[in-house]
Amino acid sequence: MASSHGSSPVPRAGPGGIYRKERDTPPARCRSARSLPDVCPTEPTGGGRGLCDGPSVVAEHDRWTVYSSKVNLPAALNDPRLAKRESDFFTKTWGLDFAETEVMPSFYLPNITREHFGPYLQETAQKERIHERCKTICPNKDDVDAASSVDANHEKSRAELEQVPKIFMRPEFALEDSATFSSVLPWSHFNSAAGKSSRDVASSKLLQEKLSHYLDVVEVSIARQISLRSDAFFHAMSSQHELQDRLQETQRAVAVLRGRTAAIDGIMCRGPLQALRTALTRNNCARLHNKLKLMAAVHQTQPTVQLLLSTSEFVGALELISTTKEVLQQELQGIHSFRHLGSQLCELEKLIDKMMVEDFSMYARSDLNRSLRDEPLVQEKVHRPNADSQKERLESLVFGLLRQRKLDFLDIYCDEMILAAKSIVSLCVAENVLNIEDIDTEVVTKLADQMRLMTFPQLFELLKNIFESFLLFLQRIKATLSVIKGVVLEVLSSNQRLRLLEAGAGSDPEAPRGPSLPQGEAELAYLTHEGLFISDALNQAQQQAAREHSPPGGSGAQQSRAEAPGGDSAREQSFVSAETTMPSDPELNRVINNLQELLHTASDVSHDRCVKVLAARAKDGSLERLSSAEFVCLSRAVEAFVGDTEELCSRRSVSLRGALQSQANRFVHRFHDERKTKLSLLMDNERWKQADVPAEFQDLVNSMADGRISLPERKIPGPEDRKPADFLLVNGQKYAVVGTVLLLIRIFLEYCQCVNDIPSIATDMLTRLSDLLKHFNSRTCQLVLGAGALQVVGLKTITTKNLALASRCLQLVVHYIPVIRGHFETKLQPKQYSVLRHFDHITKDYNDHVAEISAKLVAIMDSLFEKVLSKYEVKAPMPSACFRNVCKQMAKMHEAICELLPEEQTQMLFLRINASFKAHLKRQLARLGVVNDGGPQHGLVGVDVAFYTENVQVLKSLDQLDLHMAEIWEQKR
């Protein structure tokens, strides 16, 4: 009610029946009216006033009657629950929830904006300003009267309303509140202890009158407001009648439309809809029938799996279980009777996994432990009738294990392979021991002890048997692994083909596809195959679906295309059904790598077993006591076996080579020790006299000259054998040698022969040979130059012949050092050439030794010259005895070495001896004061010198020697 004070003025009807809102006029400034006295004795917001304060309403005003009312309120359809009176015309009929909605603008009318009126407003702007200014200066009389009357009524209404207490105007006014009720009706004034008095009765009447007055004031104000808006009320009433008429017309049109729609429904819709319902019912029944058939087929899963397992069809059983589980999850999900079938199938699948692992282990055991000879590499038949080939059995097992992602089945094969390798050695030893009568197996039970009792030929035969067995063993393993690798590669290629097909289908989605088999029918065809393989049943179902969907003219072509893949194996087609369970490409590639590693492991295991055989034999040192020929035979057999296994397995195993190398090192050590000891014994017994050269040694040297650095085959002695020679002819030169050097030549040829037979010991053998040559050189120096032979063999003295013979022997060894070096260089790797420097050091040591012997020979004559020439005197008779003694010693020296040393060395040696003689003679002549002045003493010395020159030049190969005897005289200054 209070909100009516701020409402807009009443619109007035203008020309044409259009209501226009009058301009709001500012309220006139006037003195506020005095409000009526408050009837409430106490008010929560103000101070209390007495009941007797203020004038009496009844006494000051006339009593209000119904004739004072100007407007019938119920006739105006007043709704006191709403603040705005204009909004109750629609809510009365349609409820309080009815609200005005915003009408969307029409899409066919342009959107008019202020810019469209821009030119018009510019034209009329000046005129409007003039008009507004005129209105301000000269207002309309009617407007002024109306405004003044409105202001007067407004002021009067406000003055009357101010008499009403403010508590009645509050929005939260409610008599239910005890405080508000006590403020409006102060019962404390009427319920006194003394009872009702006349004053209380008067106060209650006064209060009733005041409340009635307040009600009248408010009703008068409401009536005044309604009268001001009477035109709007009557316009709303007329609009409501018009709206009711239009609603009745709309209701009649809707009824006609509903009738026509019912007629159309009965004539055109009910029949086709009934046909659709019938077709849907038929399809549902067909699907139910197919579902029942599918349930019947699934019900037969477990008996079918048991039947497949009885024939070891693990792959078919796994595919059946997988497909059944997929059908249970997709087609038969929620079937109560199959609620336990899924868990049963999972347990059955785990059982099949165990069965496959055990079957694979049994296959590997039977395949690896069967006879190695006179049988194929891969088992062809099982030992029971009507059985598939073992190759297909292996392929089926591998495919099943791959399908179940049991990628560790190669570990099982590896364990069985190691056990089989151990049994191979035991069987070979047992077979060979049975053929040896000297070994009693009841007394000697251990295999290692039995092998140690074998002779080398028996051991060699055993090793050849073991090597041959292991080669057959590795060939069988490689064939089996090739079959497994073929299955893995087939699965890998199948996965790649499936990816290509999926990629092609994804890149060309608009391409026409062939008739696809429905999922339920495909599963049904899979499950209800009658004696056929699963993939064959699927192919037949697909071909049948293709014939049903294809046009009559194209049935032949489709049939030929469907029959085309019939030549493929069933296992190859089963890859498609298991595409989701197969391992990924990285896993399959890892399996292929593991197959190659398994073959390498087999090679290593075979080599390790052979190493243990050699170690058992070598435990007592018997292999070290082999002769070089026997060890060479053993080495060749081992190298041949290692080469065959490397070619077969593409694996360079180092265990057997390492064991052979270790045994070769022991053999080389013993070989070297024996020959070094032998050489030491020979040198300790050598008397350093020229030895005869047997013909076989001459032939040996000749073969070395021809480039054959090896020991010749031993010839059977015959009656036509040649006699020994005095010298050893080497490239046309004569070498006077001792017997030790001849044996030394044969010894280093034995070293070279060992290197030819066992190239792996070339480095070790070179080191040992260099040690042997150094030992010969140092021992020769000790015995000859150091005069050790005097105590060792009892020589009286070391003669010049002994020295010359030792020098010639050393020169012969120096001659053959480059030959030995070249031979070893061909057996070494380029990175091992650094060890050849040992020969350079040995050559230098030998040349130094030869030079020391030559110096020793010169020193012997030098001491003789010093002793003899110190007593020389220039006096008759001539030649003097001193020169005769010198010439005699020179002749003895020449006689001792001329047959041992070549002419060039003899000449060089005597030139050095002559220089020593001239130095001592010159020193003696200077001491005697003899000069070449042509005097008598000079003549006597000339006679002795001529005698000396004649005796020296008469010696063999010294006739052309220029002695330069003029150097004995001091040069004149």
Side-chain angles (χ1 to χ4, degrees):
M1 299 177 186
S3 62
S4 62
H5 292 286
S7 60
S8 61
V10 178
R12 298 178 181 273
I18 300 176
Y19 290 86
R20 298 183 182 274
K21 188 176 182 181
E22 297 181 357
R23 292 179 176 270
D24 294 335
T25 56
R29 295 183 178 179
C30 59
R31 183 177 58 86
S32 60
R34 186 174 61 88
S35 61
L36 294 174
D38 196 355
V39 299
C40 298
T42 58
E43 188 177 2
T45 56
R49 296 178 59 185
L51 295 176
C52 297
D53 295 341
S56 175
V57 179
V58 180
E60 294 180 2
H61 299 280
D62 294 335
R63 185 178 181 82
W64 187 85
T65 63
V66 293
Y67 298 104
S68 301
S69 176
K70 296 182 179 180
V71 178
N72 189 0
L73 295 180
L77 296 178
N78 181 26
D79 189 356
R81 293 173 297 175
L82 298 178
K84 293 185 177 181
R85 306 304 178 201
E86 294 84 359
S87 62
D88 60 346
F89 300 107
F90 302 106
T91 59
K92 182 178 181 181
T93 303
W94 295 332
L96 296 176
D97 295 333
F98 177 81
E100 296 181 0
T101 58
E102 182 180 359
V103 180
M104 296 295 296
S106 176
F107 297 102
Y108 301 100
L109 297 178
N111 186 15
I112 304 301
T113 60
R114 186 176 180 84
E115 283 74 11
H116 291 84
F117 300 95
Y120 173 76
L121 292 177
Q122 290 179 358
E123 293 179 0
T124 60
Q126 184 66 26
K127 297 178 181 180
E128 184 180 7
R129 285 195 295 271
I130 296 173
H131 177 69
E132 292 295 335
R133 189 164 53 250
C134 292
K135 285 174 62 178
T136 305
I137 298 173
C138 301
N140 192 0
K141 183 178 179 181
D142 297 335
D143 295 340
V144 173
D145 295 340
S148 60
S149 62
V150 168
D151 292 341
N153 292 332
H154 183 69
E155 290 295 334
K156 183 179 180 181
S157 175
R158 177 179 295 178
E160 292 176 350
L161 288 175
E162 286 180 353
Q163 298 176 7
V164 180
K166 299 297 185 293
I167 190 173
F168 294 105
M169 302 300 180
R170 292 178 182 176
E172 65 273 9
F173 176 79
L175 290 177
E176 292 83 358
D177 186 13
S178 59
T180 305
F181 187 82
S182 299
S183 300
V184 176
L185 298 174
W187 293 104
S188 60
H189 295 273
F190 309 115
N191 296 328
S192 61
K196 295 184 179 181
S197 62
S198 59
R199 181 177 175 85
D200 296 334
V201 172
S203 299
S204 61
K205 290 183 178 180
L206 180 61
L207 177 61
Q208 185 177 3
E209 290 178 359
K210 282 187 178 183
L211 293 176
S212 301
H213 175 68
Y214 295 155
L215 178 62
D216 295 341
V217 170
V218 171
E219 289 180 350
V220 168
S221 178
I222 292 173
R224 184 182 295 109
Q225 293 298 328
I226 293 175
S227 64
L228 292 176
R229 292 170 175 78
S230 59
D231 295 337
F233 282 121
F234 290 118
H235 177 70
M237 291 297 297
S238 62
S239 300
Q240 185 179 11
H241 292 309
E242 183 181 357
L243 181 61
Q244 290 179 353
D245 295 339
R246 292 184 180 180
L247 286 175
Q248 290 176 358
E249 293 178 1
T250 304
Q251 183 180 6
R252 287 192 295 272
V254 168
V256 172
L257 180 60
R258 287 181 176 178
R260 293 178 180 177
T261 305
I264 292 174
D265 177 64
I267 296 172
M268 302 180 63
C269 297
R270 290 182 182 178
L273 287 176
Q274 185 64 31
L276 290 176
R277 291 191 188 98
T278 305
L280 183 60
T281 303
R282 181 180 180 277
N283 290 336
N284 290 337
C285 292
R287 292 177 61 188
L288 178 60
H289 182 254
N290 292 333
K291 191 76 71 175
L292 291 175
K293 290 195 297 182
L294 189 60
M295 291 175 63
V298 169
H299 184 66
Q300 297 297 322
T301 297
Q302 289 180 319
T304 308
V305 169
Q306 297 294 338
L307 180 62
L308 291 173
L309 291 180
S310 64
T311 58
S312 299
E313 282 288 342
F314 299 111
V315 179
L318 288 173
E319 289 180 357
L320 183 56
I321 291 173
S322 176
T323 309
T324 304
K325 290 168 64 176
E326 186 176 356
V327 170
L328 287 175
Q329 293 177 359
Q330 296 180 0
E331 302 292 333
L332 303 179
Q333 189 175 8
I335 302 297
H336 186 72
S337 59
F338 290 150
R339 64 187 183 278
H340 300 304
L341 184 58
S343 59
Q344 293 173 359
L345 293 177
C346 291
E347 294 297 329
L348 194 58
E349 189 173 7
K350 294 179 181 178
L351 178 61
I352 293 175
D353 290 346
K354 295 180 180 178
M355 293 178 63
M356 282 194 301
V357 172
E358 292 177 358
D359 202 1
F360 182 78
S361 178
M362 293 175 57
Y363 173 85
R365 191 178 303 112
S366 62
D367 180 53
L368 294 173
N369 291 324
R370 60 192 174 93
S371 178
L372 295 172
R373 296 173 178 83
D374 301 331
E375 285 195 17
L377 296 178
V378 181
Q379 297 186 56
E380 296 295 337
K381 292 292 181 181
V382 195
H383 300 294
R384 61 177 185 268
N386 300 325
D388 296 332
S389 68
Q390 286 288 77
K391 182 178 180 181
E392 293 182 0
R393 178 191 176 197
L394 176 60
E395 292 175 348
S396 177
L397 282 173
V398 173
F399 177 70
L401 291 170
L402 289 177
R403 192 182 187 280
Q404 294 303 106
R405 294 180 179 271
K406 299 290 184 181
L407 304 182
D408 56 346
F409 65 94
L410 294 179
D411 297 338
I412 301 173
Y413 193 86
C414 183
D415 296 338
E416 297 295 337
M417 176 190 66
I418 294 174
L419 295 176
K422 294 180 180 178
S423 63
I424 285 176
V425 175
S426 302
L427 289 175
C428 291
V429 173
E431 289 177 0
N432 282 65
V433 168
L434 289 176
N435 300 326
I436 301 174
E437 298 178 355
D438 299 337
I439 300 177
D440 188 359
T441 55
E442 296 180 358
V443 178
V444 184
T445 57
K446 293 184 178 180
L447 297 180
D449 296 336
Q450 294 174 1
M451 286 189 292
R452 294 189 192 102
L453 295 177
M454 294 180 182
T455 62
F456 178 76
Q458 294 170 349
L459 175 66
F460 189 70
E461 189 67 25
L462 172 63
L463 287 176
K464 288 198 298 183
N465 189 14
I466 292 175
F467 291 160
E468 183 180 359
S469 299
F470 272 120
L471 283 176
L472 294 175
F473 179 67
L474 292 176
Q475 291 173 3
R476 177 172 296 173
I477 291 175
K478 185 175 183 180
T480 302
L481 296 182
S482 298
V483 174
I484 298 175
K485 185 176 181 180
V487 175
V488 177
L489 290 176
E490 198 169 357
V491 174
L492 190 61
S493 62
S494 177
N495 291 346
Q496 293 175 354
R497 288 196 300 270
L498 287 174
R499 284 198 302 273
L500 290 176
L501 290 176
E502 291 175 359
S507 61
D508 191 9
E510 302 298 331
R513 294 182 175 87
S516 60
L517 193 64
Q519 179 69 18
E521 296 181 9
E523 307 296 347
L524 184 63
Y526 174 83
L527 292 170
T528 58
H529 68 284
E530 300 177 356
L532 300 176
F533 197 76
I534 296 169
S535 58
D536 296 336
L538 283 173
N539 288 336
Q540 290 183 1
Q542 291 177 358
Q543 293 173 10
Q544 182 178 359
R547 286 194 296 270
E548 291 177 358
H549 290 81
S550 62
S555 61
Q558 292 186 2
Q559 183 176 1
S560 62
R561 286 194 299 270
E563 294 175 355
D568 298 337
S569 64
R571 178 176 49 80
E572 186 176 283
Q573 295 178 358
S574 65
F575 292 145
V576 180
S577 63
E579 59 178 337
T580 58
T581 59
M582 278 298 174
S584 60
D585 289 355
E587 291 175 336
L588 293 175
N589 291 327
R590 198 177 304 117
V591 171
I592 294 175
N593 295 333
N594 291 339
L595 288 172
Q596 189 64 33
E597 290 296 329
L598 183 58
L599 185 60
H600 295 168
T601 303
S603 176
D604 294 341
V605 168
S606 302
H607 286 200
D608 292 341
R609 302 314 303 177
C610 295
V611 167
K612 290 188 176 181
V613 172
L614 292 177
R617 175 68 181 187
K619 192 172 183 180
D620 59 349
S622 57
L623 292 182
E624 300 176 13
R625 294 190 294 270
L626 295 178
S627 64
S628 60
E630 291 174 343
F631 191 83
V632 165
C633 292
L634 176 63
S635 175
R636 287 177 177 174
V638 172
E639 287 290 341
F641 172 69
V642 171
D644 292 340
T645 55
E646 288 179 357
E647 182 179 359
L648 182 64
C649 302
S650 301
R651 169 78 167 186
R652 182 177 176 84
S653 298
V654 297
S655 59
L656 187 55
R657 273 202 175 96
L660 180 63
Q661 182 66 37
S662 176
Q663 197 60 43
N665 292 336
R666 297 191 187 97
F667 170 77
V668 168
H669 181 71
R670 183 195 58 80
F671 180 88
H672 175 66
D673 288 344
E674 287 181 356
R675 278 144 186 81
K676 187 175 181 180
T677 303
K678 183 178 180 180
L679 181 62
S680 299
L681 292 175
L682 290 174
M683 296 189 71
D684 290 342
N685 294 319
E686 181 62 58
R687 302 189 65 85
W688 297 101
K689 292 182 178 181
Q690 184 177 359
D692 294 335
V693 180
E696 59 175 345
F697 282 97
Q698 185 62 52
D699 295 337
L700 186 63
V701 171
N702 295 336
S703 66
M704 292 177 62
D706 296 337
R708 293 189 299 272
I709 313 298
S710 61
L711 290 173
E713 297 181 0
R714 184 165 297 183
K715 297 180 180 179
I716 300 175
E720 69 278 358
D721 287 344
R722 296 167 294 173
K723 295 181 180 181
D726 295 334
F727 297 94
L728 184 66
L729 293 178
V730 180
N731 295 333
Q733 290 189 13
K734 292 181 179 181
Y735 284 89
V737 294
V738 296
T740 304
V741 174
L742 294 177
L743 292 177
L744 177 62
I745 294 175
R746 185 175 183 86
I747 286 173
F748 66 65
L749 282 179
E750 290 176 354
Y751 278 80
C752 294
Q753 183 67 39
C754 281
V755 172
N756 291 337
D757 297 333
I758 314 174
S760 61
I761 62 174
T763 306
D764 197 9
M765 195 64 77
L766 186 147
T767 305
R768 303 304 175 96
L769 179 58
S770 62
D771 179 67
L772 187 71
L773 294 174
K774 290 179 181 178
H775 176 70
F776 176 76
N777 185 33
S778 61
R779 192 60 180 160
T780 302
C781 182
Q782 293 172 4
L783 293 174
V784 180
L785 284 180
L790 300 180
Q791 291 82 19
V792 175
V793 295
L795 294 180
K796 295 180 180 181
T797 182
I798 301 298
T799 63
T800 56
K801 192 171 185 177
N802 298 138
L803 293 172
L805 190 60
S807 175
R808 197 58 176 160
C809 291
L810 294 173
Q811 292 175 20
L812 179 62
V813 176
V814 170
H815 173 78
Y816 280 112
I817 286 178
V819 178
I820 299 172
R821 177 194 174 107
H823 178 73
F824 273 90
E825 188 173 359
T826 60
K827 305 300 179 183
L828 294 175
Q829 300 293 332
K831 62 182 179 181
Q832 298 175 336
Y833 286 166
S834 60
V835 298
L836 295 173
R837 67 179 183 274
H838 294 298
F839 290 115
D840 298 333
H841 300 326
I842 293 171
T843 303
K844 181 178 181 300
D845 293 340
Y846 271 71
N847 290 328
D848 292 343
H849 193 183
V850 171
E852 288 178 2
I853 292 176
S854 299
K856 183 64 175 178
L857 292 173
V858 174
I860 291 173
M861 297 304 296
D862 185 76
S863 62
L864 177 64
F865 294 152
E866 183 179 5
K867 180 179 179 181
V868 174
L869 292 178
S870 62
K871 300 176 182 180
Y872 175 64
E873 295 180 356
V874 184
K875 62 181 181 178
M878 291 297 165
S880 63
C882 181
F883 270 77
R884 286 192 181 96
N885 191 10
V886 169
C887 291
K888 181 181 177 180
Q889 295 298 329
M890 294 277 286
K892 287 182 179 181
M893 169 71 75
H894 183 269
E895 182 182 358
I897 66 173
C898 67
E899 296 296 333
L900 302 178
L901 299 179
E903 295 182 359
E904 296 81 4
Q905 294 185 18
T906 304
Q907 293 175 2
M908 292 300 297
L909 181 60
F910 272 88
L911 283 177
R912 293 177 62 185
I913 293 174
N914 180 59
S916 176
F917 173 74
K918 290 189 294 183
H920 285 286
L921 181 59
K922 183 177 181 179
R923 190 179 305 111
Q924 183 64 21
L925 292 176
R927 187 171 60 84
L928 295 176
V930 180
V931 296
N932 56 344
D933 54 357
Q937 288 184 340
H938 176 265
L940 293 175
V941 173
V943 173
D944 284 338
V945 169
F947 175 76
Y948 167 79
T949 302
E950 181 181 355
N951 278 277
V952 170
Q953 290 181 348
V954 79
L955 298 175
K956 184 181 177 181
S957 70
L958 300 181
D959 52 349
Q960 302 296 328
L961 193 63
D962 190 1
L963 301 179
H964 299 285
M965 296 306 295
E967 296 177 358
I968 64 175
W969 304 108
E970 290 286 346
Q971 297 294 331
K972 294 181 180 181
R973 297 180 181 178

